[in-house]
Amino acid sequence: MTRSIALITGASRGLGKHAALALAAKGVDLIITYRSQADEAAAVVAEARALGVQAHALALEVGESAGFPAFAEEVRQLLVREWQRTQFNFLVNNAGIGIHASFEQTTEQQFDTLLNIHLKGTFFLTQKLLPLIADGGRILNLSTGLTRFALPGYAAYAAMKGGIEVLSHYLAKELGPRGIAVNVLAPGAIETDFGGGAVRDNPALNDFVASQTALGRVGQPDDIGGVIAALLSPDSRWINAQRIEASGGMFI
């Protein structure tokens, strides 16, 4: 039986890394991308291969859309060379950064950086990779719990993710004839280095989040990796055009 292949952006660390390893544990081959941490990406590849799957890492700057056509060609060549195929099955748009700034103090440069990485990047990278996604495949776009509840300092970031959620509905509608399902995963607060590691490293913030979460703790990266693997499993094939929040029940 031919294995499925997942392409996960920003998978050298954090949620992307844990998603990659969760998928590898289920026998899914991997193409992961990294921006600058080549050594960390190589370590993820090694861990995935130790689980018995094929895995490769490619450099990608998701905030620079001019490089997407060349990246898509690099992916195509990799597929042909390593898998003797021309398409992969799952695209996980995970790569991103966090900028914490009040609405009043957010600069145009910060806004544009978030726009280019989270919204423009996801839009045009998916567009360029679309011919390489097999019919019947899946696209999973990462959003945030901050599109449902508001915390000061995340106006620009959450606005971009709100755009991702609307875009995902349109992708589900337009790609439906090809049997491609498109969903959104919205994590809550997770203990990673995202946003400078504030949730992980600031005890007061960690305690506050835990106190506002029904399950009584902050999320761990494996919590999200497991959800991503589940949403890409055959059992989830009929889930489409949905926003799934994985937050342990924050602010309910």
Side-chain angles (χ1 to χ4, degrees), residues 18-110:
H18 286 266
L21 296 177
L23 285 166
K26 292 183 177 293
V28 177
D29 288 344
L30 298 169
I31 301 171
I32 68 168
T33 80
Y34 64 94
R35 183 172 67 89
S36 59
Q37 302 296 329
D39 290 345
E40 292 185 13
V44 175
V45 166
E47 285 189 64
R49 289 176 177 172
L51 293 170
V53 303
Q54 285 198 65
H56 301 273
L58 299 175
L60 174 67
E61 175 52 76
V62 295
E64 296 180 3
S65 58
F68 293 168
F71 174 75
E73 176 59 21
E74 190 176 10
V75 171
R76 188 193 68 79
Q77 292 179 11
L78 179 65
L79 289 167
V80 171
R81 183 174 68 249
E82 300 296 336
W83 283 277
Q84 294 75 54
R85 293 162 60 177
T86 57
Q87 293 183 313
F88 63 94
N89 306 92
F90 310 135
L91 173 61
V92 181
N93 285 306
N94 165 77
I97 64 167
I99 293 177
H100 183 271
S102 71
F103 172 76
E104 288 183 303
Q105 295 178 337
T106 298
T107 67
E108 194 167 346
Q109 182 180 15
Q110 288 174 320

Side-chain angles (χ1 to χ4, degrees), residues 8-219:
I8 309 173
T9 64
S12 64
R13 59 179 180 80
L15 300 186
K17 170 186 175 179
H18 286 266
L21 296 177
L23 285 166
K26 292 183 177 293
V28 177
D29 288 344
L30 298 169
I31 301 171
I32 68 168
T33 80
Y34 64 94
R35 183 172 67 89
S36 59
Q37 302 296 329
D39 290 345
E40 292 185 13
V44 175
V45 166
E47 285 189 64
R49 289 176 177 172
L51 293 170
V53 303
Q54 285 198 65
H56 301 273
L58 299 175
L60 174 67
E61 175 52 76
V62 295
E64 296 180 3
S65 58
F68 293 168
F71 174 75
E73 176 59 21
E74 190 176 10
V75 171
R76 188 193 68 79
Q77 292 179 11
L78 179 65
L79 289 167
V80 171
R81 183 174 68 249
E82 300 296 336
W83 283 277
Q84 294 75 54
R85 293 162 60 177
T86 57
Q87 293 183 313
F88 63 94
N89 306 92
F90 310 135
L91 173 61
V92 181
N93 285 306
N94 165 77
I97 64 167
I99 293 177
H100 183 271
S102 71
F103 172 76
E104 288 183 303
Q105 295 178 337
T106 298
T107 67
E108 194 167 346
Q109 182 180 15
Q110 288 174 320
F111 185 95
D112 287 345
T113 297
L114 289 167
L115 175 69
N116 288 337
I117 291 174
H118 289 283
L119 187 53
K120 183 178 179 181
T122 296
F123 190 108
F124 288 104
L125 180 62
T126 302
Q127 183 188 78
K128 293 299 183 291
L129 291 176
L130 196 55
L132 302 179
I133 300 175
D135 289 358
R138 317 264 183 89
I139 297 172
L140 185 61
N141 296 322
L142 271 288
S143 181
T144 174
L146 291 162
T147 60
R148 177 177 64 83
F149 51 80
L151 292 175
Y154 295 102
Y157 173 78
M160 303 310 162
K161 292 302 193 180
I164 286 296
E165 294 185 8
V166 173
L167 171 63
S168 298
H169 278 112
Y170 278 83
L171 291 178
K173 188 73 169 180
E174 294 195 24
L175 303 183
R178 289 185 53 192
I180 297 174
V182 184
N183 291 294
V184 171
L185 176 61
I190 310 294
E191 288 188 357
T192 68
D193 59 1
F194 188 80
V199 172
R200 180 192 61 197
D201 301 332
N202 184 325
L205 178 58
N206 194 291
D207 289 346
F208 169 73
V209 171
S211 73
Q212 299 299 316
T213 302
L215 292 181
R217 65 171 176 85
V218 172

